[in-house]
Amino acid sequence: MPRCLKWLFSFSLILLFQSATYATDGYKLWLDYKTISDSALLKEYQSLLGGIQFYGNSETIEKASREIQQGISGLLGMDSEKLNGKYRLVIGSYSNLPKDIAHQFSKELEYLNKEGYVIKSISNSIVITAKTDIGVLYGTFNFLKRLQTQQSIENLNITDSPKIDIRILNHWDNLDRTVERGYAGFSLWNWHQLPEYKDPRYEDYARANASIGINGTVLTNVNSNALVLTPQYLEKVKALADIFRPYGLKVYLTARFSAPMEIGGLKTADPLHAEVKNWWKNKVEEIYTYIPDFGGFLVKANSEGQPGPQNYGRNHVDGANMMAEALAPFNGVVMWRAFVYSEHDTTDRAKQAYNEFVPHDGQFKDNVIIQVKNGPIDFQPREPFHPMFGAMANTNLMIEFQITQEYMGGATHLVYQPKLFEEVFEADTYRKGKGSTVAKVIDGSLHNKKITGVAGVSNIGTDRNWTGHHFLQANWYGFGRLAWDPYLNSEDIAKEWVKMTFSNKEPFVEKVSAMMIESREAVVNYMTPLGLHHIMATGHHYGPGPWVSDLSRPEWNPVYYHKADNSGVGFDRTPSGSNATAQYAPEVAAMFNNLETCPEEDLLWFHHVPWNYKLKNGHTLWDGLALKYQEGVNEVAQMQATWNQLENDVDAQRFNEVKMLLNIQYKEAKWWQDACLLYFQQFSKMELPKGVEAPAHTLQYYQNLQFPYAPGIRPQW
Amino acid sequence: MPRCLKWLFSFSLILLFQSATYATDGYKLWLDYKTISDSALLKEYQSLLGGIQFYGNSETIEKASREIQQGISGLLGMDSEKLNGKYRLVIGSYSNLPKDIAHQFSKELEYLNKEGYVIKSISNSIVITAKTDIGVLYGTFNFLKRLQTQQSIENLNITDSPKIDIRILNHWDNLDRTVERGYAGFSLWNWHQLPEYKDPRYEDYARANASIGINGTVLTNVNSNALVLTPQYLEKVKALADIFRPYGLKVYLTARFSAPMEIGGLKTADPLHAEVKNWWKNKVEEIYTYIPDFGGFLVKANSEGQPGPQNYGRNHVDGANMMAEALAPFNGVVMWRAFVYSEHDTTDRAKQAYNEFVPHDGQFKDNVIIQVKNGPIDFQPREPFHPMFGAMANTNLMIEFQITQEYMGGATHLVYQPKLFEEVFEADTYRKGKGSTVAKVIDGSLHNKKITGVAGVSNIGTDRNWTGHHFLQANWYGFGRLAWDPYLNSEDIAKEWVKMTFSNKEPFVEKVSAMMIESREAVVNYMTPLGLHHIMATGHHYGPGPWVSDLSRPEWNPVYYHKADNSGVGFDRTPSGSNATAQYAPEVAAMFNNLETCPEEDLLWFHHVPWNYKLKNGHTLWDGLALKYQEGVNEVAQMQATWNQLENDVDAQRFNEVKMLLNIQYKEAKWWQDACLLYFQQFSKMELPKGVEAPAHTLQYYQNLQFPYAPGIRPQW
């Protein structure tokens, strides 16, 4: 064959060899700009894109420019310098654009906030502009996404702004690089070698976050260590902040409430004590000398043994406002967690955060934002929305999701969580009548809030593919997208991610996104159907443990939550029980209180129901429960079947890795079904209905399983 | 340009993009078969290599075949199917080769052991053969190495056999994936997801080991956990063993001596107790049902708090032989560590292993092998050879090196350890007169041993480049090479590694290998010159701590080892002191005892010397010590200078990562110099000599530094 073909051949061989070993290990996430395989479309894009002109000279613009070059050389398989198509790309912030172009955007700019962007076709150009260079970077990623997802780039007229201010990851990372509830390896932060050694992965992390609009990261665990506030560590934090800054990613830290004593040598951490206030004031000033755009603190106080203002007879307002005062001069914020439940409070744990915080509505300073978990217990496969949403009209309030799957199978189970996030955002609080959705509470529109935020507990670790399971990258991705716009549709997000990450091929996108959407209901069904919750094994929460009843704190025991007995199962939170429903708006409370109107998916969350209670489908509760477990297992089997059909559409490495994990997920779903049904059957004393597989082992077998080294907990070494 | 060139262009772009992001992250180790850049040589190889014929159909032969295909497609940039040069490659074990070819090798085969191989040119063929398929695999890697290092492949006549039976890595990996003394991330073994999830990295690990002749791996920490011997974990171990087997890599486990009580429910672990013997017998039988070629146990008994036979008034012979009896029917071995020192024994720690073991020479069973550290203390930058070498003529005895750098800066310092290994192997024990080198003790030739072995404590972790520092891959590589043949030259190994890993370009190879060779003496100089030892900080051993004197056990304190006072510094191990020298052969003892003949590199190991003692170079001990520290720092500066010259010869990622690490190494070398000289100066009361930089801080500053989260120790979370 002709020499150049010979070379082409050898090149492609090496290329194949490389892609077989690299391009498919998942490291590149949704930013793997594989050359477009549809040659007609490839030609069309090549014919439409001309030269590229960047305006502005900030580091952020450099990153945007590098991104375009990488994107074009990958997607279009050609050097962006060589583009000679119809439209030139004009990229830069409003103030940097040539006046003649800029003036055409004054109208659009009015509608943007400082992170928003415009992408618009004008005469022979496609212009990407914004009020800030960060907005330009976001717009650049969006433009590339249009190519990745094979959309038209003609007659563009896109304006988009984030609907929420703080879009932030919470890393529960410890200074020894272990990660609490981490299932994807260990912490990305190599504290020992920082600040001198800058792992290239730090920038890849910031870039991935920027590509989905995440603009903040809390580096350290909410179960915090004061050492990170010492100069020795602030130097290291600064090194990370400097790498993240061009990507619009602000750094935050967890502040241990007792730090003034542990690293400040004070005798107290009383927030009303002058010395303490002063210590925090000086500490914050010191932090800003290292990191001029430091974001602020995340605080877990008087929760699960963490120190807090209550140790000194003060309340959350005293604690949060004290720190807020220190941060205010620098525009820093305090994210104060509402996740509190006292071992001395014998009432329903689900009621405690509301009871402790709502009475203080209006008392928190403007730069305090209360961080509330999506549900009233703790990141279960399904929870009703947290009653605090909408209940604090005069307090900044943000939502906390747990992207890492503490209660959903760690990194081993494919669970597409944006479906869960969407369900929460769409829930109606009725605080201002029908349509007062959680989304409107969180984006601030319901009560016109000063600061808004969405936090996600990170599922990212040192694993090569970042999240342990290739499909759990979609949860990081989808979290970012919904934090930017909580009104997006989770199915659209799934399809977008599949196209960017795997393939634009039609049946493939349909099948895989359908599998993802189904996965969330599957995990609810095989773990905690019909409103069951917190029946996981102790400590690591890996696997079922509905029988656990011997833990020191009542509300740590699964039996506290399911209350199964011969009369039935479920937690009565109606007025006849804990009356937790009273914390919701009257319309919502009424709906939950009434067995007829309470959604069956929340049935056992709110009601203690007899085993022979008739469900809407005509089955008894016992039969319905058993059938739900079976349904969950069957859904995982369906996911396996779907994936196995797709072997030829996915590279070998990702196909096999996902296949192995789906096999584990199926095995564990069955384990959940068998263990839970055997346990509850002791009380229902009823036979398994037709269509439900007999358990593989005895109840005792499941009760005896031990997993002392399950990941995500304090190392046992 | 013509269409195919256009395509070629786009291909090469993607290729460049990929190699920029992948090919250079170090994951491929020394097996990154980059296409040969010397086009003349490339053509020559292409013209010499014809078709490839494999004989045999074992999994191992499949691996060899895949390796050749990968190697050829990478190195020669062409599909191995397409080769049409002068010599065909004929590859297979003796018994599988066609008779007409096989009979030409009967002579060579005689000289081979079961892992050896022959590579020989005959008429129009190059034949790679061996007695076993594993030998064939080793020969295949050797042949590819000839291409990687650009040697001639004409008139080949190579026969090579490993000189040592057990060439094994010891992983100090815990079941929670933390690694004791691990500095390259966390454990490769994802116990939680095994056996179902088989990380592709497991095979890459086995393949890398096979490429350098390593044939065994101990998966678990010598500070062991009995759980790994339970069925729950044996299933996981089996999964790894199945992946490693085709690469000739046998799996071993650490056996916790008290396992019969912890997982067997017995009341005792007394090795002479019938129930205990029986428990181990059954346990071993059970293990072999999972892993038919299980290698055996590594045992740390009655050492640093580990349980052992002495807890029951028995001795090491009783303990080791009891396990050996259980393993013998399956040809398993017991590697019993000699690293013992009692907190109740007030004598010199350096003497204790010898005292406890040598009296038992001849009493250990044939499948017991005593594992002895290279020196009498604990993996210091330099130690004299261990006196047990050559002292147990009738006992199998293997050497243990620490590839991971517990006492040499973790993964942050570039220290080329094969230089250290070589120094130990070349040391002369004089046990059978001059020339009784440690190498001859270890390869069994001195006393004609039944089993021989070399162990290396692994420096491998989850870091993308395996060893944390690109250059520390050379220590894994060089360990394997010297375990195969302890008479190899460490400089040749360095050059070979540089060519395979970076480039064949002279003077690059010269400069980099010279830097590597120098690095070992550098770390001795800036940490522990002239025979100083064990003056590292407490626990993590990160940084200097010569002042530490408050630890519960005397021999844990640096002051125990340097004994600095106004009269001088050093540990008198001559007859006037601990008389540890009496444990060496008379010729060696005499050399060490006499100040005139004692090598100055071991001076303070064996002698307490006055500060004004005159060194051979005419300097006083104090001046000489100070100048040695300075020399070490200067050597690191030289390493930095060398590396910085080479920016254009190395890919950007590896260049920058190594550069950042060399900067840390320089900073820490200076830290060592300043802290140690300030400390010893309190006793010498002498000025720093000319040419030695003044310390940057006060002694107190260095004494106050704290690193609670230095890696490699029990997590502090």
Side-chain angles (χ1 to χ4, degrees), chain A residues 1 3-15 17-19 21-23 25 28 31-33 35 42-43 70 73-74 76-79 82 174-181 183 185-187 190 192-200 221 223 225 227 232-233 409 411-412 462-465 468 470 542 653 656-658 660-661 663-664 667-668 706-717, chain B residues 2-15 17-19 21-23 25 28 32-33 35 42-43 70 73-74 76-80 82 174-181 183 185-187 190 192-200 221 223 225 227 232-233 409 411-412 462-465 468 470 542 653 656-658 660-661 663-664 667-668 706-717:
Chain A
M1 51 185 165
R3 175 181 188 66
C4 76
L5 274 183
K6 204 165 185 173
W7 273 100
L8 170 57
F9 181 68
S10 66
F11 267 113
S12 39
L13 250 172
I14 299 166
L15 179 63
F17 175 58
Q18 288 212 343
S19 34
T21 51
Y22 171 66
D25 65 9
K28 290 186 178 178
L31 299 174
D32 183 1
Y33 298 120
T35 306
L42 181 65
K43 277 205 200 57
Q70 269 192 32
S73 71
L76 303 195
M78 64 185 289
D79 184 345
K82 302 272 184 305
N174 301 306
L175 299 184
D176 61 15
R177 295 192 75 178
T178 55
V179 180
E180 185 165 355
R181 309 311 176 181
Y183 309 100
F186 292 80
S187 175
N190 183 344
H192 181 65
Q193 293 188 341
L194 281 166
E196 291 88 352
Y197 188 81
K198 298 171 175 66
D199 188 326
N221 191 353
N223 293 319
N225 185 317
L227 264 192
Q232 180 183 12
Y233 278 87
T412 313
T462 50
D463 279 1
R464 183 63 182 170
N465 67 11
H470 292 288
Y542 170 63
Q653 184 174 352
N656 290 324
E657 288 174 0
V658 170
M660 290 187 283
L661 290 169
N663 292 344
I664 297 176
K667 187 187 78 174
E668 295 185 354
Q706 296 293 327
F707 305 93
Y709 300 104
I713 53 172
R714 182 190 303 274
Q716 308 294 299
W717 179 9
Chain B
R3 175 180 186 65
C4 75
L5 274 183
K6 206 163 184 174
W7 272 99
L8 169 57
F9 179 67
S10 66
F11 267 114
S12 39
L13 249 173
I14 299 164
L15 180 63
F17 175 57
Q18 288 211 346
S19 34
T21 49
Y22 171 66
D25 65 9
K28 289 185 178 179
D32 183 2
Y33 298 120
T35 306
L42 180 64
K43 277 204 201 61
Q70 270 191 32
S73 70
L76 304 196
M78 63 186 289
D79 183 347
S80 55
K82 302 273 183 301
N174 300 305
L175 300 185
D176 60 16
R177 296 192 75 178
T178 56
V179 180
E180 185 166 354
R181 309 308 176 183
Y183 309 100
F186 292 80
S187 173
N190 183 347
H192 181 65
Q193 293 189 341
L194 282 166
E196 291 88 353
Y197 189 82
K198 298 171 176 68
D199 188 327
N221 192 353
N223 293 319
N225 185 318
L227 264 194
Q232 181 183 12
Y233 277 89
T412 313
T462 50
D463 279 1
R464 182 64 182 170
N465 67 12
H470 293 287
Y542 171 63
Q653 183 175 351
N656 291 324
E657 288 174 0
V658 170
M660 288 186 284
L661 290 168
N663 293 343
I664 297 175
K667 187 188 79 173
E668 296 186 352
Q706 296 293 327
F707 305 94
Y709 300 103
I713 53 172
R714 182 189 304 272
Q716 308 294 297
W717 180 11

Side-chain angles (χ1 to χ4, degrees), chain B residues 381 403 405 408 413-422 469 471-479 481-482 488-498 512-523 639 665:
Chain B
I403 310 171
Q405 297 180 170
M408 287 181 257
H413 292 209
L414 193 172
V415 179
Y416 179 63
Q417 287 201 59
K419 186 82 179 136
L420 181 162
F421 306 155
E422 174 185 55
H469 190 311
F471 274 88
L472 299 185
Q473 295 178 352
N475 293 347
W476 178 12
Y477 182 88
F479 167 80
R481 300 285 291 124
L482 282 161
L488 292 177
N489 172 286
S490 67
E491 191 166 347
D492 296 342
I493 295 170
K495 288 181 175 166
E496 177 178 284
W497 177 82
V498 171
V512 173
S513 57
M515 171 178 85
M516 290 164 72
I517 293 301
E518 169 136 322
S519 66
R520 190 288 179 109
E521 205 59 35
V523 73
M639 288 161 66
Q665 187 172 0

Side-chain angles (χ1 to χ4, degrees), chain B residues 508-700:
Chain B
F508 180 86
V509 175
E510 281 306 322
K511 288 180 176 163
V512 173
S513 57
M515 171 178 85
M516 290 164 72
I517 293 301
E518 169 136 322
S519 66
R520 190 288 179 109
E521 205 59 35
V523 73
V524 171
N525 290 335
Y526 65 70
M527 283 188 184
T528 55
L530 299 176
L532 285 173
H533 52 286
H534 215 300
I535 56 174
M536 291 75 184
T538 303
H540 48 60
H541 300 147
Y542 171 63
W547 46 78
V548 175
S549 61
D550 59 352
L551 303 182
S552 60
R553 291 177 58 163
E555 75 284 5
W556 284 351
N557 290 294
V559 296
Y560 169 98
Y561 296 98
H562 63 67
K563 301 198 183 325
D565 55 25
N566 296 342
S567 75
V569 60
F571 195 130
D572 182 358
R573 293 190 163 106
T574 69
S576 61
S578 76
N579 200 24
T581 53
Q583 294 182 335
Y584 291 98
E587 300 88 334
V588 178
M591 171 189 66
F592 286 144
N593 286 336
N594 180 341
L595 265 176
E596 292 312 306
T597 55
C598 180
E600 279 188 345
E601 61 184 23
D602 297 322
L603 184 63
L604 305 180
W605 187 284
F606 289 110
H607 298 271
H608 189 76
V609 183
W611 293 108
N612 57 11
Y613 170 82
K614 274 261 174 303
L615 296 170
K616 297 194 169 55
N617 61 14
H619 287 293
T620 63
L621 172 63
W622 168 251
D623 285 0
L625 188 70
L627 288 163
K628 274 287 180 195
Y629 272 107
Q630 185 66 55
E631 189 181 334
V633 172
N634 296 347
E635 285 162 330
V636 178
Q638 182 51 55
M639 288 161 66
Q640 292 177 291
T642 302
W643 188 248
N644 291 341
Q645 290 166 20
L646 302 172
E647 177 156 14
N648 300 330
D649 303 318
V650 191
D651 52 276
Q653 183 175 351
R654 284 188 298 181
F655 176 79
N656 291 324
E657 288 174 0
V658 170
K659 181 178 179 162
M660 288 186 284
L661 290 168
L662 284 170
N663 293 343
I664 297 175
Q665 187 172 0
Y666 180 81
K667 187 188 79 173
E668 296 186 352
K670 192 79 180 67
W671 167 30
W672 268 93
Q673 170 180 13
D674 292 353
C676 292
L677 289 179
L678 284 166
Y679 171 75
F680 289 121
Q681 195 171 32
Q682 300 176 109
F683 305 102
S684 78
K685 306 200 167 47
M686 296 165 147
E687 290 304 309
L688 290 175
K690 196 158 146 312
V692 175
E693 295 164 35
H697 302 277
T698 66
L699 176 58
Q700 174 143 45

Side-chain angles (χ1 to χ4, degrees), chain B residues 227-464:
Chain B
L227 264 194
V228 79
L229 302 177
T230 60
Q232 181 183 12
Y233 277 89
L234 290 175
E235 272 189 19
K236 302 168 188 280
V237 175
K238 173 196 181 356
L240 291 174
D242 292 342
I243 295 167
F244 297 167
R245 187 170 295 108
Y247 292 96
L249 190 67
K250 267 192 187 184
V251 161
Y252 300 69
L253 293 172
T254 47
R256 185 163 168 87
F257 202 78
S258 50
M261 300 163 72
E262 290 156 356
I263 62 171
L266 302 192
K267 300 230 169 342
T268 176
D270 180 346
L272 300 194
H273 193 296
E275 263 192 300
V276 174
K277 290 182 175 193
N278 200 48
W279 186 87
W280 281 109
K281 190 173 160 302
N282 295 334
K283 177 52 67 179
V284 166
E285 279 172 13
E286 182 187 18
I287 293 172
Y288 279 90
T289 60
Y290 288 94
I291 306 145
D293 56 351
F294 179 67
F297 293 139
L298 170 62
V299 185
K300 177 180 181 179
N302 294 119
S303 166
E304 299 181 321
Q306 291 296 300
Q310 293 171 350
N311 304 32
Y312 308 93
R314 317 299 184 183
N315 62 30
H316 292 291
V317 177
D318 301 324
N321 287 351
M322 179 272 292
M323 287 188 177
E325 259 175 58
L327 287 157
F330 308 94
N331 304 312
V333 301
V334 176
M335 298 173 288
W336 192 271
R337 291 176 93 225
F339 179 63
V340 295
Y341 57 101
S342 159
E343 55 200 301
H344 310 299
D345 185 337
T346 56
T347 174
D348 181 357
R349 168 175 167 181
K351 293 162 61 179
Q352 293 188 41
Y354 182 105
N355 289 343
E356 273 196 47
F357 280 85
V358 173
H360 296 296
D361 186 30
Q363 298 170 15
F364 291 95
K365 292 198 173 290
D366 286 353
N367 60 328
V368 173
I369 181 162
I370 306 302
Q371 183 165 314
V372 182
K373 292 187 178 185
N374 61 277
I377 298 295
D378 194 13
F379 300 132
Q380 297 302 296
R382 169 170 281 129
E383 299 191 33
F385 70 86
H386 199 297
M388 282 174 71
F389 296 132
M392 296 182 80
N394 304 303
T395 304
N396 298 320
L397 189 146
M398 65 195 287
I399 193 166
E400 176 179 338
F401 292 113
Q402 190 180 44
I403 310 171
T404 191
Q405 297 180 170
E406 174 179 358
Y407 295 99
M408 287 181 257
T412 313
H413 292 209
L414 193 172
V415 179
Y416 179 63
Q417 287 201 59
K419 186 82 179 136
L420 181 162
F421 306 155
E422 174 185 55
E423 176 178 289
V424 175
F425 280 130
E426 288 176 347
D428 195 339
T429 70
Y430 278 86
R431 288 298 177 178
K432 278 182 145 187
K434 188 160 176 33
S436 306
T437 61
V438 171
K440 288 184 186 168
V441 172
I442 297 308
D443 75 7
S445 58
L446 192 69
H447 294 117
N448 179 26
K449 295 295 172 68
K450 297 200 176 46
I451 317 174
T452 59
V454 174
V457 181
S458 162
N459 65 341
I460 300 166
T462 50
D463 279 1
R464 182 64 182 170

Side-chain angles (χ1 to χ4, degrees), chain A residues 92-136:
Chain A
S93 72
Y94 182 69
S95 56
N96 289 326
L97 287 183
K99 291 284 149 289
D100 62 311
I101 299 177
H103 83 270
Q104 304 179 54
F105 290 89
S106 38
K107 180 155 214 63
E108 283 83 357
L109 268 287
E110 281 171 31
Y111 299 108
L112 297 183
N113 62 32
K114 65 183 203 318
E115 297 177 297
Y117 59 84
V118 181
I119 305 177
K120 192 173 177 187
S121 306
I122 55 168
S123 62
N124 63 344
S125 302
I126 298 169
V127 179
I128 303 175
T129 189
K131 289 177 172 168
T132 63
D133 286 346
I134 291 301
V136 171

Side-chain angles (χ1 to χ4, degrees), chain B residues 58-79:
Chain B
S58 67
E59 273 191 274
T60 300
I61 290 299
E62 276 170 41
K63 303 302 182 188
S65 158
R66 207 185 60 185
E67 197 66 37
I68 281 283
Q69 285 160 30
Q70 270 191 32
I72 299 296
S73 70
L75 290 161
L76 304 196
M78 63 186 289
D79 183 347

